[in-house]
Amino acid sequence: MSDVLRTPDHRFANLPDFPWEPNYHSVSDAQHGQLRMHYLDVGPRDGDIVLMLHGEPSWCFLYRHMIHALSARGLRCIAPDLVGFGRSDKPAARSAYSYAGHVAQVGELLRALEVNKVTLVCQDWGGPIGLSLLAQMPERFSAVVAANTLLPGCEPPPNGVAPWPGAIVEQWVAATRDAEDLDVSGVIAAVSCTPLSAGVLAAYDAPFPSPAYKAGALVFPSLIPTHAQMAGAAENRQTWEFLCHWEKPFVTAFSDSDPATAAWGPVFQQRIPGARGREHPTIMGAGHFLQEEQGDALAAVVARTIDSLRATSSTVES
């Protein structure tokens, strides 16, 4: 399809610390019928499942440190690339992308993989997408680790964040809305606490050989509901209604240096029953993309969460 771009495989050769073979699944698309979604599936098939969802403008490469650490502990790590990102197909028109479309496509993948007892790890826009899936198919999920993410329903405090959308978000939306190109690796480097190597920066640019491949990344910030009547705002409020009754483990693990999302941690902790009385660690020495800078530390939080699930299950069974 000439209006759907597919990044050449050679762009993904010899990426640092990223040895895994690709997996693909066809997902539905309103404009194009079927699109190819890429995902990693690493670790034993019978291991406890960790679903890792990325946001803007990254891809599953972001989770490589965590995948190494968690799969070594016997966990099965599933990390998809959203349509428009990574090795997934990339419709060339911005109109092809929607919040609901991303949610539906990841949901299709989960149903195809027939996974259950999933621990969701979500960051940036992986949060709204993953938490929407949690509300739609709660029977598949056992726990959540939310990291540097948000769920904007355009509600005033204490149910939301003030001021919202806030200067950082407004500037980001404005900068991408009318842009013809996006410096993907530059964005990631700019919100990191430590310098990233040339090889790592090149890996974040790998999915995008030219600006034509970046429609999904350019439109993503504009899908953030910054006003109550925008698409996604009502859906997020419905997700919040569900989360306000979620009693399974919900852990926040935000970094110490991400002003864009910092205020959302307390909102999750206060509104969600499953978050109360739990340890909510701060990941030190990381900016927005904490999986990149402190992946082992975030993996340790995920591992402790799953260990607590196992301990609870053992106690119930005994």
Side-chain angles (χ1 to χ4, degrees):
M1 294 177 289
S2 60
D3 53 350
V4 176
L5 303 175
R6 184 170 291 174
T7 305
D9 287 341
H10 70 81
R11 298 276 300 183
F12 301 100
N14 302 315
L15 300 183
D17 302 316
F18 197 80
W20 304 290
E21 292 298 315
N23 302 279
Y24 297 102
H25 179 69
S26 291
V27 295
S28 301
D29 177 77
Q31 294 188 22
H32 304 100
Q34 295 287 306
L35 295 172
R36 192 175 76 166
M37 173 177 276
H38 169 256
Y39 65 98
L40 294 179
D41 191 344
V42 181
R45 296 291 82 90
D46 60 349
D48 290 325
I49 295 167
V50 184
L51 173 67
M52 305 175 178
L53 296 183
H54 73 84
E56 163 83 0
S58 59
W59 61 292
C60 67
F61 177 80
L62 176 68
Y63 281 102
R64 68 197 183 282
H65 302 309
M66 295 181 65
I67 292 171
H68 282 294
L70 293 174
S71 63
R73 294 177 63 101
L75 301 176
R76 180 181 176 186
C77 301
I78 298 173
D81 290 332
L82 299 176
V83 167
F85 296 85
R87 298 185 81 141
S88 292
D89 283 350
K90 301 173 181 67
R94 298 189 192 196
S95 61
Y97 299 92
S98 69
Y99 180 14
H102 284 303
V103 173
Q105 288 159 351
V106 179
E108 283 188 46
L109 176 65
L110 295 188
R111 285 188 288 271
L113 294 176
E114 299 181 338
V115 293
N116 293 290
K117 297 182 180 179
V118 174
T119 295
L120 169 66
V121 180
C122 52
Q123 180 259 350
D124 191 84
W125 257 104
I129 292 169
L131 295 173
S132 294
L133 286 171
L134 175 70
Q136 292 177 10
M137 48 179 73
E139 70 282 356
R140 294 187 182 271
F141 291 89
S142 297
V144 178
V145 176
N148 287 4
T149 191
L150 68 167
L151 185 61
C154 302
E155 299 174 277
N159 289 348
V161 169
W164 181 254
I168 294 175
V169 174
E170 287 181 324
Q171 291 168 6
W172 179 227
V173 171
T176 52
R177 182 176 51 231
D178 301 320
E180 297 298 327
D181 197 1
L182 181 67
D183 181 3
V184 171
S185 63
V187 168
I188 292 170
V191 292
S192 297
C193 291
T194 53
L196 304 181
S197 71
V200 166
L201 294 175
Y204 283 113
D205 286 326
F208 309 108
S210 75
Y213 289 74
K214 298 180 183 180
L218 285 166
V219 77
F220 218 173
S222 297
L223 302 181
I224 299 172
T226 55
H227 302 287
Q229 303 308 314
M230 281 185 63
E235 291 84 351
N236 283 353
R237 290 193 293 272
Q238 291 175 352
T239 299
W240 270 117
E241 289 180 11
F242 170 83
L243 289 173
C244 287
H245 299 282
W246 174 262
E247 296 185 349
K248 294 178 182 179
F250 192 108
V251 175
T252 64
F254 282 49
S255 70
D256 62 339
S257 299
D258 182 35
T261 63
W264 284 97
V267 177
F268 289 119
Q269 295 164 22
Q270 294 163 14
R271 294 191 69 183
I272 301 174
R276 296 170 192 156
R278 300 189 184 278
E279 177 189 5
H280 298 285
T282 298
I283 305 297
M284 305 303 293
H288 184 59
F289 298 98
L290 70 173
Q291 308 98 308
E292 175 60 52
E293 296 186 276
Q294 295 294 339
D296 287 343
L298 184 56
V301 175
V302 175
R304 289 198 300 270
T305 302
I306 293 174
D307 286 345
S308 72
L309 284 171
R310 291 170 174 168
T312 301
S313 177
S314 298
T315 300
V316 171
E317 290 174 359
S318 63

